[in-house]
Amino acid sequence: MKIFPHATHIMFVVLLLVGCQKEQLGFRSVTCRSVDCLDTTDTASSPRIETVIDMEFAVSDTHSSENVSDVINACVIEKAFDMQLKDPDMAADAYIHQQVERYRAEMLDLYRQHKDKETSELFLALDETHQIIGRVSRGREGFIGYVIQETDMTGAAHPYHCTTYLNFDEKTGNAVELGDIFLESKMTQLSDILLDKLMEKCGVQTLQQLNDAGYLTQTDMTPSRLFLLEKDSVSFFYNEYDIAPYSTGPTEIKVSCEELKGVMK
C-alpha cells in the first residue's frame, strides 16, 4: 500500500468566546491518497483500490480535554468515517487501513481464481475508488456549517454519491439538529413550505406533475435532517433516492429565513 503523506495547513481563524476564556479556533486541511494493488507482483495490470481524503478539521489554541475543536472533529469523524476518534490524522489513517483490509478480504480470492484467464473486464470491475471531501461553510452567525461529500466507485453501473450537511454551535462545538432550530409543532407546516419550494424549483403546479417528474413517488415530503444554516436562508439537502430516483440526482432546496418565520425557534 502506498499512502501519500498528509498535507496540512491552517485555513482560517475565527475568535470564539468560551466561558471567560477566549479560544482561538482555526481549521486545517488533512489530505492523503492511498493506492493498493491486489497483485504486488504485477502492479501495472492488477486491480487496485484508491482512497482519497481531503477534509478540513478544527484546531484550537487551548489544550483542555473538552475544547471546541475536539467536539467538532469527533462528530465529523463519526459521520465521515464511522469511527469514535478525535484525532483527524489518526482517523484518516485508520479509515484507509480499514478500506484496504476490506478490499483485500473481499477481492483477493476472486482475483486469484481468475488471474490466468482472459478476464480483463473482470479485473477492471474489481477496481475501487473512494473519495471523501469535507469543507467548512461559514454562514449563520453563531454557527459553523460543514459539508461532507462522499463518492464511491466499486464497479457498479454508476458511482454512489452521498452528501452530509452538519451544523455546530460555535461556542460549544455541539452538533445542531433539526429540532434545535425548528418548532416540533410546526414540522407539517415546514413540510408544506418545502413542497411548495420543490414545485417552484421544478416549474410545476401540482403534486401529480411533481410525481410525473420523478419526485415523491415513493414517499411524502418531509424536512431533511441534512440542512445547512446560511446567512439569510436554510438549505435542505436530499441525496439520490431520498425523494427522487438516481437519474434525477440529488436535490437541494433553499428557503429564505423570511419564508421560515413562524416555524423556526
Side-chain angles (χ1 to χ4, degrees), residues 101-172:
E101 290 300 307
R102 175 201 54 78
Y103 177 70
R104 295 185 68 83
E106 293 177 358
M107 302 298 181
L108 188 55
D109 285 345
L110 180 63
Y111 170 75
R112 286 171 173 167
Q113 291 171 17
H114 298 276
K115 181 179 178 180
D116 298 324
K117 301 175 183 179
E118 294 295 329
T119 53
S120 58
E121 290 185 0
L122 172 62
F123 289 174
L124 184 61
L126 294 182
D127 285 346
E128 289 190 13
T129 300
H130 304 275
Q131 181 183 67
I132 302 180
I133 298 174
R135 293 287 181 268
V136 175
S137 174
R138 295 297 299 176
R140 183 76 56 85
E141 183 178 354
F143 298 95
I144 297 171
Y146 199 91
V147 180
I148 301 172
Q149 295 175 309
E150 302 177 59
T151 303
D152 293 337
M153 290 179 283
T154 58
H158 51 66
Y160 167 77
H161 305 282
C162 182
T163 295
T164 301
Y165 282 178
L166 300 171
N167 302 274
F168 301 98
D169 184 314
E170 70 174 11
K171 290 184 179 180
T172 65

Side-chain angles (χ1 to χ4, degrees), residues 5-18:
H6 294 285
T8 65
H9 59 277
I10 300 299
M11 300 302 295
F12 57 85
V13 173
V14 293
L15 293 180
L16 304 182
L17 198 61
V18 182

Side-chain angles (χ1 to χ4, degrees), residues 19-34:
C20 297
Q21 179 184 11
K22 184 176 290 186
E23 179 178 350
Q24 200 168 9
L25 184 71
F27 289 87
R28 68 182 177 97
S29 67
V30 173
T31 61
C32 51
R33 174 174 171 262
S34 164

Side-chain angles (χ1 to χ4, degrees), residues 168-188:
F168 301 98
D169 184 314
E170 70 174 11
K171 290 184 179 180
T172 65
N174 293 331
V176 178
E177 306 296 340
L178 197 69
D180 298 324
I181 302 298
F182 297 95
L183 295 166
E184 190 64 34
S185 61
K186 299 293 184 179
M187 288 299 174
T188 300

